[in-house]
Amino acid sequence: MSDAISSILSQIRAHQSHAALRADAPAGTAIDPSLFNPGAGAARPSDGPGFSDTMAKALDNVSATQRKSGELQQAFELGDPRADLARVMVAMQESQVAFRATVEVRNRLVQAYQDVMNMPI
């Protein structure tokens, strides 16, 4: 879970630094069209999973963590001896941290979208 969120955050940072480099370029510098169409130009820098795949995997992991936490809570409430209080509390905290991280990524994506939409043409 943590690796997926770290991957997303590193992609966001890479896009921010790339945008900063473009902002520092001299006026009149042409924008490389391959930035908008990766298939037309040079090959993509990495053949790994795309952003949407990484995001979907991260959301699935958060959902699984929350489901596991809920199942452990229910087992503890029903008196299952395998669901001790420590395990339940740790699962709840993992679920909470994963959800907060996902919300933070969402907030940063929304902010990045708003920044792009407010850029002068």
Side-chain angles (χ1 to χ4, degrees):
M1 174 55 213
S2 178
D3 293 334
I5 292 174
S6 297
S7 172
I8 291 169
L9 289 174
S10 67
Q11 288 178 4
I12 290 171
R13 288 185 186 111
H15 288 293
Q16 285 176 337
S17 65
H18 184 72
L21 290 175
R22 285 288 176 192
D24 293 339
T29 302
I31 296 176
D32 183 9
S34 67
L35 293 173
F36 300 106
N37 187 3
R44 292 180 66 180
S46 69
D47 294 330
F51 179 78
S52 62
D53 295 335
T54 304
M55 192 67 175
K57 184 177 176 183
L59 290 174
D60 289 341
N61 287 340
V62 170
S63 178
T65 303
Q66 289 180 331
R67 188 176 20 247
K68 175 186 163 191
S69 173
E71 290 170 358
L72 275 174
Q73 287 174 356
Q74 186 176 18
F76 179 76
E77 291 169 357
L78 295 174
D80 187 352
R82 293 175 291 174
D84 59 351
L85 182 60
R87 286 183 58 202
V88 172
M89 295 302 292
V90 168
M92 288 174 57
Q93 289 298 317
E94 285 178 356
S95 166
Q96 186 177 24
V97 167
F99 182 73
R100 285 183 180 176
T102 302
V103 169
E104 184 63 29
V105 169
R106 185 220 41 196
N107 292 344
R108 289 179 185 232
L109 286 172
V110 168
Q111 182 62 43
Y113 174 78
Q114 289 173 345
D115 289 347
V116 168
M117 293 306 293
N118 290 330
M119 285 183 182
I121 294 179

